[in-house]
Amino acid sequence: MRVLSGIKPTGKLTLGNYIGALKNFSQYQSDHDVFIFIADLHALTLPIDPEELRMNTRLLTAFYLAAGLDPNRVTIFKQSDVSAHAELNAILQNYLYMGELSRMTQFKEKSQNMDGNAIGLGLFTYPVLMASDILLYEANIVPVGEDQIQHIEITRDLVVRFNNRYGKILVMPEPIVSTVGKRIMSLSDPSIKMSKSESGKGDIYLTDDLTVIRKKIMSAVTDSGSEIYVDEEKKPGITNLLTIYAALTDKSLDDCVKKFKDYRYGDFKKEVANVVINTLGPFQEKAYEFLKSGEVDRVLRDGAQKATIIANQTLKKVKEAVGLL
Ligand code: TYM
């Protein structure tokens, strides 16, 4: 079974990215064929400083390693190093339609405040490149956070459409989201997702100082009342903190509710802060070590070679199917 996932090297990665994606990748490496990449072509869909893109790419590779991905068992690579992504994108863009692309939530969100005449085509066709990423590696499983499911659904539609026309060429992928932590919310406004592109005070960044992390959690908005239980409507702030705690300790939400039943909000937040800090402290140390060691560049070089071999096999099949070969 093949597993594939990727993260965009834009902005500052958050605890949401860690819980929803990053921390889940290594569990597959002992018994699956795993491809994890840096979606740097996708990073260009919104303006980004070239130096920031270079730095984010190396840092994200270090994060992959710090999250326990073993480069001897997992292929870690940069999307732009494997030219088959761009080539398959050029072919597959003819099999997804403007109507369905304009209904994508991510496109609507990201473009809503932009001048309609100046929205980059890449932002609009984002799901075509994402479908190419997934299909090139014939991935069966794609672990992601909830906000990416729609993009995998459209990839599935594309597979049906393409295979109906050309025969069984593309492999059908399946999104996997974790039961706890598929959507981590902002600490300052639990009605919106924790995000790389938000203001910062409600978002825990993976590069934040541990003292800053503690402060952000201690000042997280809580809800009226004093009880600690799960209710996304009435208790969105507390539910979010419980989710973070449960995801990082690998406990069920029910067990966490039982544990904190008699806690006051302040003491509960202290425990959540401790767990986040005990996770991210060692994680940051490892990541910075990898950055310094030169391991990052080596991993990306080897990964690109391995990924290219697999990607080119699929590209060849597709080219033959449509009549380019
Ligand atoms: P990106 O970089 O926006 O996010 C990376 C991963 O983090 C998850 N995530 C969250 N999970 C829980 N709570 C949150 N608040 C939260 N915020 C983000 C995302 O769901 C994602 O899994 N399009 C992708 C990158 C990509 C990709 C792919 C992924 C490109 N090609 C092919 C899978 C397969 C993206 O922008 O993720």
Side-chain angles (χ1 to χ4, degrees):
M1 291 281 270
R2 283 258 168 81
V3 176
L4 171 128
S5 197
I7 296 181
K8 246 183 350 234
T10 49
K12 293 193 268 184
L13 255 62
T14 68
L15 186 63
N17 297 124
Y18 182 84
I19 291 177
L22 199 49
K23 97 181 219 313
N24 308 321
F25 296 159
S26 65
Q27 64 181 296
Y28 297 100
Q29 65 190 355
S30 53
D31 51 0
H32 290 71
D33 193 12
V34 184
F35 289 78
I36 301 293
F37 72 101
I38 291 138
D40 58 346
L41 290 171
H42 277 115
L44 295 176
T45 56
L46 288 173
I48 183 165
D49 174 68
E51 205 42 52
E52 187 189 340
L53 178 53
R54 267 187 279 273
M55 274 173 40
N56 282 353
T57 297
R58 300 189 73 244
L59 184 61
L60 178 51
T61 312
F63 282 159
Y64 283 151
L65 298 171
L69 290 178
D70 172 359
N72 294 318
R73 290 188 283 175
V74 174
T75 306
I76 301 173
F77 66 101
K78 205 167 75 163
Q79 186 185 30
S80 66
D81 276 341
V82 181
S83 59
H85 290 250
E87 283 189 68
L88 189 61
N89 180 61
I91 297 172
L92 294 185
Q93 65 185 350
N94 302 299
Y95 303 87
L96 282 176
Y97 305 142
M98 289 177 63
E100 50 196 1
L101 291 178
S102 57
R103 283 194 292 275
M104 292 291 109
T105 310
Q106 181 174 299
F107 172 70
K108 286 196 275 188
E109 278 173 8
K110 304 237 162 170
S111 62
Q112 68 183 356
N113 294 324
M114 292 166 88
D115 168 2
N117 290 317
I119 298 171
L121 265 187
L123 189 64
F124 185 64
T125 59
Y126 189 110
V128 184
L129 182 57
M130 187 156 159
S132 308
D133 301 335
I134 296 169
L135 299 173
L136 271 180
Y137 299 91
E138 307 195 317
N140 309 98
I141 295 173
V142 186
V144 283
E146 192 179 52
D147 62 349
Q148 294 301 316
I149 290 183
Q150 198 183 31
H151 289 155
I152 299 170
E153 293 298 338
I154 202 174
T155 304
R156 291 170 59 87
D157 293 345
L158 189 153
V159 169
V160 171
R161 195 171 292 159
F162 191 95
N163 284 356
N164 275 343
R165 176 141 174 211
Y166 298 107
K168 214 170 169 309
I169 306 289
L170 301 174
V171 171
M172 185 63 85
E174 191 87 48
I176 299 259
V177 292
S178 41
T179 32
V180 179
K182 58 183 185 289
R183 187 173 169 85
I184 299 297
M185 311 308 278
S186 158
L187 299 181
S188 55
D189 178 359
S191 69
I192 58 170
K193 190 180 74 173
M194 188 179 284
S195 148
K196 298 176 198 165
S197 51
E198 291 306 322
S199 64
K201 72 180 162 60
D203 307 294
I204 294 183
Y205 298 123
L206 300 185
T207 44
D208 274 346
D209 271 357
L210 301 183
T211 46
V212 172
I213 293 178
R214 188 178 293 282
K215 258 194 216 135
K216 285 181 177 173
I217 295 176
M218 293 312 291
S219 49
V221 301
T222 38
D223 315 296
S224 55
S226 58
E227 281 163 274
I228 294 174
Y229 60 87
V230 175
D231 186 329
E232 281 182 13
E233 301 256 297
K234 289 198 205 115
K235 293 263 180 187
I238 291 294
T239 302
N240 193 36
L241 291 171
L242 278 167
T243 305
I244 292 172
Y245 187 93
L248 294 182
T249 54
D250 283 325
K251 291 200 168 84
S252 72
L253 274 174
D254 278 353
D255 284 348
C256 296
V257 171
K258 272 188 213 131
K259 176 177 163 68
F260 292 118
K261 191 166 54 68
D262 298 322
Y263 274 62
R264 291 164 198 266
Y265 279 176
D267 295 330
F268 165 56
K269 283 178 172 177
K270 259 186 222 158
E271 296 262 353
V272 177
N274 286 344
V275 161
V276 175
I277 285 167
N278 289 339
T279 307
L280 293 189
F283 173 77
Q284 289 179 347
E285 267 173 41
K286 275 188 225 157
Y288 297 145
E289 277 303 308
F290 281 123
L291 262 187
K292 276 192 282 179
S293 70
E295 177 81 351
V296 161
D297 304 291
R298 209 165 32 241
V299 164
L300 291 181
R301 222 176 19 247
D302 293 353
Q305 277 181 5
K306 284 193 256 170
T308 298
I309 294 170
I310 306 295
N312 282 346
Q313 288 168 1
T314 310
L315 182 64
K316 183 163 179 275
K317 270 193 233 171
V318 170
K319 281 181 155 181
E320 275 166 357
V322 300
L324 291 173
L325 289 178

